[in-house]
Each structure stands twice: as C-alpha cells, then as structure tokens.
C-alpha cells in the first residue's frame, strides 16, 4: 500500500494508472500530492511544470507544438508571450481540450522525440510560430534554429511554408532576413535595426586577425572592407573580469586600425545614438559596399561624406 508521496516516484503520474495499480482513490486526495492538471498527480515537492504535467496525458497521436515546442528546443521567444498555456497538436480529429491547453489539428505532421515528449520539428515549429509572432521575432527564431545549434537549415525553414496558410506571408518575409551566424536574439534585433536604417548588411561573428595573422578576437558584426565592427554587449560584460578582457581585446583592435562600436539593450530599444556612431564610422572609412539610406530613416548616406 502506498502511504507517502515518496512511494509514487520522481515524476507526475496519471490517476487512472494509479487506480489500475491498486492505489485507493482516497490516497490520491491527500495533501502530499499536487494536482497540476485534471487527472494527474505528483508529489508536492516536485512542482512539475505545465509541460511535464500535460506530457503525462499525451496520446500517441499528440505532440507539443508552436511556442511550446520552441521553448522546449531552447529557442528565444518574446517575453510578453503567454507562458501559462501549452500548445498540443494532433493528426486526428480529437484535439486536446483542457484548461491551459490550446489544441491544434495537423494533417501533415513533422515530429521528433525531444526530452519528455514528442514535439514539432524545429523547422515546423518555426512556421507554426508565424501564426502569432511579429516578423522580427520570427527572424530571431529562425536565426536560432539555423545558428550554432544547427537544428535546421534555411532550406528546411523554406520547405515548411505552406502557401495560403495562416502566417505564410509573414514567414516568407522573415525567411528572407534569416541569417546563419547570429548567436543571440539581441544580436538579431540589432542587425535588423542597422540594416533597416540603411546601412550595408554586416558579416556575422567574424574572426579578426592582424596583419601577422595573430587572432584579435571574434566580433558580432563587421564590415571588414572598412574595418568597422559592431558589438552587442550583454549583461555579462558588466562583470569586472569580463570588462578587463574586453579592454585588452579592444586595445588590440584599436592598434590594428579597427573602429569598434558597442551597443547595449538600450541601444536596441532606442537606436538613434548607435546609428549616429555608425554613420560617423562609415564617413571616416569611405569605400566598400554602399547602400543608400531608407527614406525617413537615420541611416548612412555616403553622399554626406566630407570632401
């Protein structure tokens, strides 16, 4: 007879399975067991996530999809996206109907095993999220999947776009801006802002060497023909030791005639100052590939270069 939460093991379990194994119903009502969702129990000390609880009751024809799958793949999502619901898709007509669950029907599954359950493939997840993400956020999601994680290729993303489907137009627009090489969602945001402002598109995560082939460092974005770099400094750059490393690294770039512009999250939100620093850097380094500034945007216009 089970008399304590420890008897139930280290994972959520279905009430029906417990009853079938001979555990009396009154035992499942005790306070040492939590009820994360209807029909599921878990030792109170576990505090299972909603995904873990729902995974306990998934049928063989159901899997996690959309933003839930994106989170499970470790992908970046907007902070304001609802985290108190999970998306579950099925290939049958019986979509999951539970509180905090959004059910979807999918006639053409693309599913992989991942973690605690089956999930939409990375490329399919990307296209599913086109239903509700902004184009910029969809670009960041695509950058993640085709980036260092190497969970998909740009061709994989393209193959998932279904003409006429909800979000297809947004997905096509985002696909044209997805790039291999971005290593964070904020790097993507800064790159998109810079390009939309009219600057030439930068190379991503470039290894820089001096004239003697000595490695100086890797920069987030670079216009190598002009020796201009743009670095996004996240919170980890506030660490004292990291600051010292940044200073030593910066000295090497300066000694080798590189102009390095630094941007932060504040610059991504209000980029006017960053644009002006870049504009001045481009004026100081004429030549290379040029692109005229977009109308009405504070970009780079080579015609304003001093004689």
């Amino acid at each position: 007879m089970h008399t304590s939460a420890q008897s139930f093991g280290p994972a959520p379990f279905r009430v029906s399975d417990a009853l079938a194994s001979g555990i009396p119903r009154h035992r499942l009502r005790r306070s040492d067991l939590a009820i994360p969702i209807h029909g599921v129990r878990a030792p109170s000390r576990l505090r299972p996530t909603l995904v873990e609880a729902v995974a306990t009751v998934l049928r063989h024809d159901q899997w996690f999809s959309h933003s839930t799958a994106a989170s499970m793949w470790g992908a970046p999502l907007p902070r304001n996206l609802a985290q108190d619901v999970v998306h579950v898709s099925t290939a049958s007509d019986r979509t999951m109907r539970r509180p905090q669950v959004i059910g979807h029907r999918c006639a053409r599954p693309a599913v992989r095993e991942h973690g605690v359950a089956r999930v939409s493939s990375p490329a399919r997840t990307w296209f599913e999220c086109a239903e509700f993400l902004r184009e910029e956020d969809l670009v960041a999601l695509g950058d993640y999947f085709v980036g260092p994680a190497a969970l998909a290729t740009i061709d994989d993303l393209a193959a998932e776009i279904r003409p006429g489907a909800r979000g297809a137009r947004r997905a096509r627009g985002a696909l044209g801006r997805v790039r291999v090489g971005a290593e964070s969602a904020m790097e993507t945001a800064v790159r998109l802002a810079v390009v939309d402002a009219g600057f030439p598109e930068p190379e991503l995560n470039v290894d820089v060497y001096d004239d003697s082939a000595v490695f100086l460092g890797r920069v987030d974005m670079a216009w190598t023909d002009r020796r201009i770099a743009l670095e996004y400094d996240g919170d980890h750059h506030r660490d004292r030791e990291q600051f010292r490393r940044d200073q030593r690294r910066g000295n090497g770039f300066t000694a080798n005639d590189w102009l390095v512009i630094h941007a932060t999250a504040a610059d991504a939100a209000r980029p006017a100052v960053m644009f002006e620093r870049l504009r001045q850097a481009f004026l100081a380094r004429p030549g290379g590939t040029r692109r005229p500034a977009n109308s009405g945007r504070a970009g780079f216009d080579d015609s304003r270069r001093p004689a």
Side-chain angles (χ1 to χ4, degrees):
M1 184 69 65
H2 296 268
T3 58
S4 68
Q6 285 73 16
S7 305
F8 292 103
F13 58 90
R14 294 187 297 180
V15 169
S16 58
D17 291 341
L19 294 175
S21 70
I23 298 174
R25 188 174 294 276
H26 68 81
R27 175 65 188 88
L28 302 177
R29 300 193 186 102
R30 293 188 183 177
S31 60
D32 60 350
L33 291 176
I35 308 176
I37 60 172
H38 178 71
V40 174
R41 299 291 187 274
S44 298
R45 59 186 170 79
L46 288 183
R47 298 188 179 184
T49 65
L50 184 58
V51 167
E52 290 170 333
V54 173
T56 306
V57 296
L58 284 181
R59 301 192 311 265
H60 71 280
D61 62 341
Q62 295 175 327
W63 62 91
F64 292 111
S65 61
H66 296 73
S67 59
T68 305
S71 293
M72 294 174 71
W73 286 116
L77 290 169
R79 292 182 180 179
N80 61 356
L81 198 66
Q83 300 295 322
D84 56 349
V85 296
V86 298
H87 293 262
V88 174
S89 289
T90 180
S92 76
D93 293 330
R94 296 172 53 213
T95 59
M96 182 176 284
R97 296 182 178 180
R98 283 175 172 269
Q100 295 181 276
V101 173
I102 300 175
H104 305 268
R105 185 177 181 278
C106 176
R108 190 171 58 91
V111 182
R112 292 189 191 177
E113 296 288 339
H114 181 68
V116 299
R118 301 165 74 216
V119 300
S120 293
S121 71
R124 175 61 59 83
T125 296
W126 176 80
F127 182 62
E128 289 170 341
C129 289
E131 294 183 15
F132 47 79
L133 289 186
R134 298 180 310 144
E135 182 175 308
E136 292 80 1
D137 296 322
L138 198 58
V139 174
L141 189 62
D143 279 2
Y144 171 80
F145 283 137
V146 306
L151 295 171
T153 66
I154 291 180
D155 287 343
D156 292 335
L157 303 185
E160 288 296 337
I161 300 177
R162 300 194 309 278
R166 185 179 178 187
R169 180 179 297 180
R170 187 178 303 120
R172 283 193 295 270
L175 182 68
R177 309 178 81 189
V178 171
R179 298 290 182 269
V180 176
E183 295 184 349
S184 75
M186 287 306 300
E187 284 183 27
T188 297
V190 170
R191 170 174 62 83
L192 294 180
V194 166
V195 173
D196 286 348
F199 293 93
E201 182 155 340
E203 301 170 61
L204 302 181
N205 285 289
V206 177
D207 290 335
V208 178
Y209 299 83
D210 68 12
D211 294 336
S212 301
V214 174
F215 180 66
L216 297 177
R218 170 175 286 197
V219 293
D220 297 331
M221 285 160 266
W223 295 267
T224 55
D225 56 340
R226 301 176 188 256
R227 292 202 179 197
I228 297 173
L230 177 60
E231 288 274 74
Y232 173 73
D233 294 341
D235 289 341
H236 70 283
H237 287 268
R238 298 177 184 177
D239 175 77
R240 178 175 295 179
E241 185 56 35
Q242 181 63 46
F243 178 74
R244 290 172 179 167
R245 288 195 293 268
D246 289 345
Q247 279 190 316
R248 290 194 295 269
R249 180 172 175 268
N251 290 338
F253 277 86
T254 301
N256 285 274
D257 199 31
W258 274 80
L259 294 177
V260 182
I261 310 300
H262 293 271
T264 65
D267 293 308
R270 297 181 179 84
V273 173
M274 176 181 67
F275 291 159
E276 178 58 20
R277 289 171 181 161
L278 271 178
R279 188 188 70 81
Q280 292 174 0
F282 271 67
L283 292 176
R285 296 291 172 83
T289 303
R290 300 186 182 93
R291 173 183 165 187
N294 292 348
S295 177
R297 303 300 295 272
F300 169 67
D301 182 352
D302 221 24
S303 65
R304 296 161 63 186
R305 176 165 50 90

